[in-house]
Amino acid sequence: MKKAPSPIVSLIPIIVLVLLLFATIRTFGSDALSGGSQVSLLTTTAICILIGMVFYKIPWKDYELAITNNIAGVATAIIILLIIGALSGIWMISGVVPTLIYYGMQIIHPSFFLASTCIICALISVMTGSSWTTIATIGIALMGIGKAQGFEDGWIAGAIISGAYFGDKISPLSETTILASSITDTPLFRHIRYMMITTVPSLVITLIIFTVAGFSHDANNTQHIAEVATALNEKFHITPWLLIVPVATGILIAKKVPSIVTLFLSTLLAAVFALIFQPDLLEEISGIAASGFDSLFKGLMMTIYGETNLHTDNAVLTDLIATRGMSGMMNTIWLILCAMCFGGAMTASGMVGSITSIFVRFMKKTVSVVSATVCSGLFLNLTTADQYISIILTGNMFRDIYAKKGYESCLLSRTTEDAVTVTSVLIPWNSCGMTQATILSVPTLVYLPYCFFNIISPLMSITVAAIGYKIARRS
């Protein structure tokens, strides 16, 4: 029987990874995911394999098999990410997302500014699947509106981030949502439905806090909202008919149609609506002077697979409607593949099992299992400084433990998102925390006390486990 590495030896690759990621993020900042983090993962993978082969005589074939199995396990997630890239582009250019933004902003009233900001960012983030895009676009506009109305920076940023990360957490278009479900072998929509048990109460409490805070503030400036709404109406053909696309998508989700099929059909329907309602925009994207089939076809294809940049008279709106298409997902896919290599190497060497054995000692009841997962996810967010890597490592570390204790995988996937996705933005040196602080021009520690949804979510996960409400167990 092969000797397993001790917990101290098993932590060596983790420590090396933390140091490499720290140097990478410090050097590249928000561009760390463009290659630096991936190289760090592959370098650490090599170190892990070297330790295993030299000191524990683990053959290369074991590593190769574990890495291959890990990558095969996320093949579906990679396909979904590519389709999502296409969907996010076509939903924007077809006018679906602009229509949702246009009608959503109509609900803003000064007394309800903070709650409305949270709701608007949540809706946009659900539709786009990206908290980063939401914060970098409409979030900036809302910062301007909030400042004009006299709100403190921390309160405004807290409302924006709370809403954006709610959407990022439950959207079927979100990379983190797909990653958490795939790494734990949980069907995507099953994962999302199960997350509602902890996510909805967290949002409700958050909205109550923002509503009370809003009523205690006197402000009445809605000029910025009117400017963005006017610019949207001038650039896109805004019509309620476009709401058919998200409604149809919601019906498919409710019918439990497989996620790949749902997303593909939604993309196809949005493409048809783009041809009907936004032909001028497709011609603008194509760059072909003459209108006709060629320009429409080229514009449609470019929207689906590549980047689009449409000019408007409003700088915030210009940034908001820019899309990345399928090609915009390649950095994430690259990161996932490299992380799978690292996870496979850690598993084959026995290092994952050695580290998790420490947690097992404290995991007796459901609440201690969930609490250990939350603490581990938060610890990895603090140390690896990247939410994607933290999700992957948390899923890999606890997957077998949850299975042995008789829990369904959806409990692990939900707890992982409750612990990792929403807390990444609260850490100043995490890629999410650095990015959002830079975008909003508000230091992480200034907005942290007001990100109520992000703070409540992991606590809600532990609370629900403590009362034993709808804990999913294997039959």
Side-chain angles (χ1 to χ4, degrees), residues 38-312:
Q38 289 87 331
V39 173
S40 298
L41 278 164
L42 291 178
T43 302
T44 313
T45 300
I47 292 172
C48 176
I49 293 173
L50 182 65
I51 293 173
M53 292 181 71
V54 173
F55 296 101
Y56 298 93
K57 308 303 179 184
I58 300 170
W60 165 250
K61 286 186 177 180
D62 288 7
Y63 289 106
E64 193 173 31
L65 180 62
I67 291 171
T68 302
N69 288 339
N70 263 18
I71 292 176
V74 295
T76 301
I78 290 173
I79 295 171
I80 289 174
L81 283 172
L82 288 172
I83 298 176
I84 282 172
L87 185 143
S88 61
I90 200 63
W91 268 39
M92 184 64 72
I93 302 304
S94 67
V96 172
V97 173
T99 296
L100 289 165
I101 295 172
Y102 180 82
Y103 290 130
M105 287 197 307
Q106 307 304 317
I107 68 172
I108 282 193
H109 184 277
S111 298
F112 294 96
F113 172 77
L114 294 174
S116 298
T117 292
C118 186
I119 292 170
I120 289 171
C121 288
L123 290 173
I124 295 173
S125 192
V126 168
M127 292 300 115
T128 61
S130 173
S131 56
W132 286 32
T133 298
T134 302
I135 294 169
T137 52
I138 199 66
I140 294 176
L142 291 167
M143 277 298 298
I145 297 169
K147 287 180 179 180
Q149 294 182 344
F151 286 97
E152 293 181 7
D153 289 358
W155 278 100
I156 308 168
I160 293 168
I161 290 170
S162 291
Y165 275 81
F166 166 82
D168 194 327
K169 185 181 173 189
I170 68 162
S171 173
L173 313 183
S174 168
E175 298 167 7
T176 55
T177 306
I178 296 166
L179 187 58
S181 64
S182 63
I183 203 69
T184 56
D185 295 324
T186 306
L188 178 60
F189 294 132
R190 163 76 166 146
H191 166 60
I192 293 172
R193 286 193 296 271
Y194 196 62
M195 270 201 299
M196 293 297 184
I197 296 172
T198 56
T199 305
V200 171
S202 299
L203 182 66
V204 170
I205 295 171
T206 299
L207 289 175
I208 291 172
I209 295 172
F210 283 135
T211 300
V212 172
F215 269 115
S216 65
H217 184 85
D218 182 25
N220 56 5
N221 190 334
T222 58
Q223 179 182 354
H224 288 81
I225 304 171
E227 290 176 356
V228 174
T230 300
L232 273 171
N233 215 9
E234 290 175 351
K235 192 66 180 180
F236 293 89
H237 180 187
I238 303 295
T239 169
W241 288 109
L242 287 165
L243 299 178
I244 291 175
V245 178
V247 169
T249 305
I251 292 172
L252 290 173
I253 293 172
K255 294 287 186 180
K256 300 183 181 180
V257 176
S259 54
I260 290 181
V261 177
T262 297
L263 297 172
F264 178 79
L265 292 176
S266 181
T267 301
L268 192 63
L269 182 60
V272 172
F273 275 56
L275 291 169
I276 296 172
F277 293 107
Q278 319 294 344
D280 293 343
L281 296 184
L282 294 178
E283 290 173 357
E284 181 180 339
I285 291 168
S286 72
I288 299 177
S291 60
F293 173 79
D294 289 347
S295 62
L296 290 175
F297 179 75
K298 183 179 179 181
L300 191 63
M301 293 294 284
M302 289 176 66
T303 299
I304 290 172
Y305 75 75
E307 296 183 2
T308 66
N309 292 283
L310 298 172
H311 176 72
T312 71

